[in-house]
Amino acid sequence: MLTRRVAGPAQQVGLAIWARAAGTLAPPRNTEFALLQDSDLAVFDSILGSGGVITDPHEVDPYNRDWMGKYRGRGRCVLRPRSTAQVSAVLRHCSARRLAVVPQGGNTGLVGGSVPVHDEVVLSTGLMTTLLGFDPGSGALTAQAGAVLATLEAAARERGHAMPLDLGASGSCAIGGNVATNAGGIRLLRHGPLHGSVLGLEVVLAGGQVLDLLSSLRKDNTGYDLKQLFIGSEGTLGVITAVAIQCPAASPATSLAYLAVPSFKAAQQVLQAARQNLGELLSAFEFLDRESLEVAKQFLPGARDPLPGSDAPFFLVVEIAGSSEQHNAAMLEAFLESTMGEGRVLDGVVAQDSRQAGEIWALREGITEALRHRGAIYKYDLSFRVEEMYGVVGAARERLASAYPSGFLGGGAGSTAGSDTEHALKVVGYGHLGDGNVHLNISAPRYDAGLEALIEPWVYEFTAAHSGSISAEHGLGRMKAPCIGYSKPPEAVRLMRSIKAAFDPQGILNPYKVLPPE
């Protein structure tokens, strides 16, 4: 049973005001949006044909729920176009009627950006999965927006190339959604953000106009680079229907090490050494704390501890990719000898084959899945300077341990991190050390308004005070739309509003997301 110290009256008033503006509570429905009518469904049927319109409540329900079960909309229908022309016709009708629309790809987002808030129409790209082309000379791959990332990874690999992003949800996320959220992933360290990898886009605007920017040229300096506006716009400016993306040549040899380190400071020092000694071979540099490891071991089916004898507080996943296994092995051996000799690495294991490498990656990438099996998750995707990025995890533990003195588990003094109870809170931290991106996760038996009030807006205030970003790679969606001011000045938000008004004057595309209510 959790017992929480009660805030004073003034603090309670402030938290109540915050709760009305953010969190899981829905903002009011915009009454200027039309209500869906049977006549609208008839129009959609005529545009999309058989299987293109879903209205059965049981079939619609998964499209109304986010992956974590935190957000749920009340959309009555799902539209599944197969072509850009059909998307255009649907949006022309929705614009004429002022029907609000939520574009949805794989629905793997973590901030409530891909599901309705109220009764918006869901426009799913799930049937738009065609690989449109691949240029072997340049490595440019072009596909419809609904193509699943793992499918494109396989297609690129068959052609001797690699996709420039790699996500834990690659088996279900769609490339259009990846671009719309500017997804990062574990190999951003090597390939950079999608702003540099996306060569061209095809986008349907709110009124149904098709904006054809689907160029595969590496260099095109003619006017404003409009495609950049849609990368990270989360479906609020237009519906991405096709993507052209630069795929680098695949590295013939990949090596992976799992390392135990004595402190987060040591983890930073190992990163610096990796940058200096491994150079262009370095393709991923991830970290997880012991609490993350314990959750994965207990709640992730098949998870195995790569270093079962280690009691280290932090672990690193270091990947290098090069031209030969022999060169990789020599470079990695020299790197490990140096860092272990200096006491920065306590212990480590190098994957001997693809199976062992897969097990290590499954452990790192499965932490979110393990947390979901444990219960409710409060997820915060934050970025800081590398030397400051873990501070928010320790501060969150202290804050919640103080508020819940008899029911808190999560590291630090008096921790019992290796155990777990049904009603315990647990704070874990992991992420992309090479990018300064930490995933702060607070696991609880259920979603609770009192707990959420302790976390928000404190976590955003902490991030802003340390000059960080409240969204490193997940986007703002519904969850963080009211919070953009913690990372962007008012002038920037006003300019964003003017851009939104120019592209979507009626505001029908993914309303209540990204920008705060006026």
XYZ file of all heavy atoms in Angstrom, residues 380-383 459-461 463-464 468-472 475-476 480-487:
172
model
N 9.542 9.488 -20.028
C 10.047 10.820 -20.358
C 11.316 10.666 -21.181
O 12.307 10.081 -20.740
C 10.285 11.631 -19.074
C 9.005 11.766 -18.294
C 8.687 10.865 -17.280
C 8.067 12.736 -18.635
C 7.479 10.947 -16.607
C 6.860 12.819 -17.971
C 6.569 11.924 -16.955
O 5.364 11.992 -16.304
N 11.228 11.182 -22.389
C 12.295 11.093 -23.383
C 13.000 12.444 -23.407
O 12.494 13.410 -23.980
C 11.644 10.755 -24.736
C 12.513 11.079 -25.915
O 13.683 10.681 -25.908
O 12.016 11.745 -26.854
N 14.145 12.539 -22.756
C 14.783 13.827 -22.486
C 16.199 13.845 -23.044
O 16.847 12.808 -23.175
C 14.830 14.077 -20.976
C 13.525 13.839 -20.211
C 13.780 13.828 -18.714
C 12.496 14.902 -20.578
N 16.695 15.040 -23.349
C 18.096 15.162 -23.755
C 18.775 16.264 -22.961
O 18.167 17.296 -22.646
C 18.223 15.429 -25.262
O 17.585 16.636 -25.635
N 9.356 17.346 -13.786
C 10.369 16.789 -14.675
C 10.702 17.757 -15.803
O 11.860 17.850 -16.243
C 9.911 15.417 -15.228
C 8.702 15.548 -16.154
C 11.069 14.719 -15.934
N 9.714 18.532 -16.264
C 9.974 19.506 -17.321
C 10.717 20.722 -16.771
O 11.579 21.293 -17.448
C 8.659 19.911 -17.977
C 7.880 18.740 -18.520
C 6.555 18.527 -18.157
C 8.477 17.827 -19.381
C 5.846 17.445 -18.646
C 7.774 16.744 -19.881
C 6.458 16.554 -19.509
O 5.767 15.474 -19.993
N 10.381 21.113 -15.563
C 11.094 22.219 -14.928
C 12.563 21.859 -14.714
O 13.460 22.681 -14.957
C 10.430 22.572 -13.592
C 9.026 23.143 -13.739
C 8.286 23.228 -12.418
O 8.760 22.623 -11.424
O 7.219 23.880 -12.374
N 14.300 19.705 -16.437
C 14.950 19.653 -17.751
C 15.265 21.054 -18.263
O 16.371 21.313 -18.759
C 14.047 18.911 -18.748
O 13.776 17.593 -18.240
C 14.699 18.802 -20.104
N 14.310 21.965 -18.135
C 14.533 23.333 -18.599
C 15.638 24.010 -17.798
O 16.465 24.751 -18.358
C 13.236 24.131 -18.496
N 18.010 21.420 -21.107
C 17.765 20.213 -21.880
C 16.529 20.362 -22.747
O 15.905 21.424 -22.819
N 16.172 19.271 -23.416
C 14.960 19.235 -24.231
C 13.976 18.247 -23.618
O 14.365 17.147 -23.214
C 15.274 18.811 -25.663
O 14.072 18.559 -26.386
N 12.696 18.619 -23.577
C 11.676 17.744 -23.004
C 11.275 16.626 -23.965
O 10.525 15.733 -23.587
C 10.430 18.534 -22.567
C 9.727 19.153 -23.784
C 10.796 19.589 -21.533
C 8.350 19.675 -23.485
N 11.752 16.673 -25.211
C 11.501 15.585 -26.156
C 12.715 15.427 -27.053
O 12.952 16.255 -27.926
C 10.257 15.843 -27.000
O 10.061 14.766 -27.903
N 13.458 14.349 -26.836
C 14.657 14.113 -27.633
C 14.319 13.435 -28.958
O 14.877 13.790 -29.993
C 15.649 13.259 -26.845
N 8.838 13.027 -29.843
C 7.875 14.043 -30.230
C 7.110 14.584 -29.032
O 7.378 14.237 -27.878
N 6.140 15.437 -29.319
C 5.331 16.069 -28.272
C 3.952 15.428 -28.151
O 3.452 15.222 -27.047
C 5.174 17.569 -28.560
C 6.458 18.395 -28.505
C 6.216 19.796 -29.043
C 6.990 18.454 -27.085
N 2.830 16.102 -24.410
C 3.714 17.218 -24.113
C 3.351 18.506 -24.847
O 4.079 19.491 -24.764
C 5.156 16.837 -24.449
C 5.673 15.665 -23.635
C 7.116 15.327 -23.986
C 7.616 14.131 -23.205
N 9.013 13.781 -23.546
N 2.230 18.510 -25.562
C 1.841 19.718 -26.281
C 1.766 20.947 -25.378
O 2.252 22.024 -25.744
C 0.510 19.500 -27.005
N 1.187 20.833 -24.169
C 1.129 22.024 -23.310
C 2.492 22.434 -22.752
O 2.603 23.490 -22.132
C 0.195 21.595 -22.167
C -0.481 20.353 -22.630
C 0.487 19.697 -23.548
N 3.511 21.594 -22.969
C 4.802 21.780 -22.298
C 5.884 22.319 -23.217
O 7.040 22.450 -22.796
C 5.272 20.454 -21.712
S 4.003 19.521 -20.849
N 5.564 22.640 -24.458
C 6.580 23.034 -25.417
C 7.371 24.258 -24.950
O 8.544 24.425 -25.271
C 5.944 23.287 -26.806
C 7.035 23.460 -27.866
C 5.002 24.482 -26.778
C 6.488 23.531 -29.273
N 6.736 25.093 -24.129
C 7.396 26.300 -23.639
C 8.600 26.027 -22.757
O 9.427 26.923 -22.537
N 8.740 24.798 -22.260
C 9.926 24.464 -21.470
C 11.170 24.324 -22.342
O 12.284 24.371 -21.838
C 9.701 23.167 -20.689
C 8.737 23.317 -19.543
C 7.439 22.836 -19.633
C 9.120 23.942 -18.356
C 6.541 22.970 -18.585
C 8.229 24.081 -17.301
C 6.948 23.599 -17.418
O 6.064 23.737 -16.373
N 10.956 24.129 -23.653
C 12.098 23.959 -24.555
C 12.156 24.982 -25.677
O 13.186 25.112 -26.323
C 12.075 22.547 -25.168
O 12.338 21.560 -24.194
